[in-house]
């Protein structure tokens, strides 16, 4: 009966203490926690498009990949990225995690789309790359921030904890309805060197 009604794990606005964090980790949720939260003022598709436009204008090296007759064609693909509650949450947390994190994700997306277009990729591949590029480092949200801030001073165990972020990101994305297995696979393989 208790499982059918649900359990209130955290009150709105209450800070997340170490005790509450452990309690949350021990609970088996019906849906992933990311699917249960929504940012108050999250990242929107227009924010992503604005960042992309700024990057294309400020990085001349992107012009051959991203401009067609002077127009930034990747913006239409970025506008199609499904920024639902979960992706908005992940992108918003990423954007707040550090300076340039969201800009990096958009830059990776622009380069991936530009290269895929040169390879005459299908619309489905372009869609997958647009989503995967934006979410490729989402696994870093589950890594201790201290490991991200000083990557040159890592012990072997710390490096392992950081190096697993593609797998963590793929697992998170697998649980998000509508993104699909190809997006999770691209996130999983984003540090592979084929």
């Amino acid at each position: 009966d208790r499982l059918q009604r649900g359990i209130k794990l955290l009150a709105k606005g209450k800070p997340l203490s170490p005790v509450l964090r452990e309690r949350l980790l021990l609970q088996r949720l019906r849906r992933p926690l990311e699917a249960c939260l929504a940012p108050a003022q999250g990242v929107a598709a227009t924010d992503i498009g604005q960042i992309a436009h700024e990057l294309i204008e400020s990085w001349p090296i992107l012009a051959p990949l991203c401009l067609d007759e002077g127009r930034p064609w990747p913006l239409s693909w970025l506008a199609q990225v499904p920024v639902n509650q979960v992706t908005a949450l992940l992108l918003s947390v990423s954007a707040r995690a550090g300076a340039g994190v969201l800009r990096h994700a958009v830059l990776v997306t622009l380069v991936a789309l530009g290269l895929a277009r040169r390879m005459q990729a299908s619309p489905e591949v372009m869609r997958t790359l647009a989503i995967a590029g934006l979410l490729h480092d989402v696994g870093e949200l589950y890594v201790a921030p201290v490991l991200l801030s000083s990557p040159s001073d890592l012990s072997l165990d710390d490096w392992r904890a950081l190096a697993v972020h593609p797998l963590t990101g793929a697992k998170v994305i697998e649980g998000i309805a509508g993104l699909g297995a190809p997006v999770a696979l691209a996130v999983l393989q984003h540090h592979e060197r084929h």
Side-chain angles (χ1 to χ4, degrees):
D1 182 45
R2 200 171 92 167
L3 289 176
Q4 295 301 319
R5 291 180 314 189
I7 301 170
K8 183 176 183 178
L9 296 174
L10 184 64
K12 183 176 181 178
K14 186 172 183 177
L16 188 61
S17 68
V19 172
L20 279 174
R21 181 181 179 278
E22 288 303 314
R23 184 175 168 210
L24 285 171
L25 290 173
L26 293 174
Q27 294 298 318
R28 184 180 171 128
L29 300 174
R30 283 186 237 157
R31 296 184 325 166
L33 185 60
E34 295 83 4
C36 303
L37 303 172
Q41 295 177 340
V43 170
T46 54
D47 301 322
I48 295 166
Q50 181 180 351
I51 292 169
H53 199 271
E54 290 169 5
L55 285 168
I56 292 168
E57 284 185 349
S58 63
W59 288 52
I61 197 166
L62 289 175
L65 284 176
C66 298
L67 293 178
D68 187 10
E69 296 179 11
R71 293 189 325 259
W73 63 266
L75 299 182
S76 64
W77 286 104
L78 289 171
Q80 295 176 39
V81 170
V83 183
N84 58 25
Q85 177 181 330
V86 180
T87 54
L89 173 70
L90 295 172
L91 290 171
S92 298
V93 173
S94 293
R96 292 184 181 116
V101 175
L102 185 58
R103 288 177 65 84
H104 166 74
V106 174
L107 179 60
V108 166
T109 305
L110 291 174
V111 171
L113 287 172
L115 293 174
R117 185 178 192 215
R118 290 241 173 137
M119 295 171 62
Q120 300 176 345
S122 70
E124 186 56 34
V125 168
M126 297 291 279
R127 178 189 172 280
T128 297
L129 289 174
I131 299 167
L134 289 173
L135 297 175
H136 77 279
D137 274 338
V138 76
E140 287 185 357
L141 296 175
Y142 302 86
V143 173
V146 68
L147 300 181
L148 298 170
S149 63
S150 59
S152 61
D153 299 333
L154 297 179
S155 68
L156 183 57
D157 287 339
D158 291 342
W159 181 85
R160 286 182 182 139
L162 179 59
V164 76
H165 83 269
L167 177 61
T168 305
K171 291 291 183 188
V172 169
I173 287 170
E174 284 174 358
I176 300 174
L179 293 186
V183 174
L185 182 62
V187 169
L188 176 66
Q189 295 178 346
H190 82 268
H191 277 290
E192 297 297 323
R193 291 173 176 84
H194 296 287

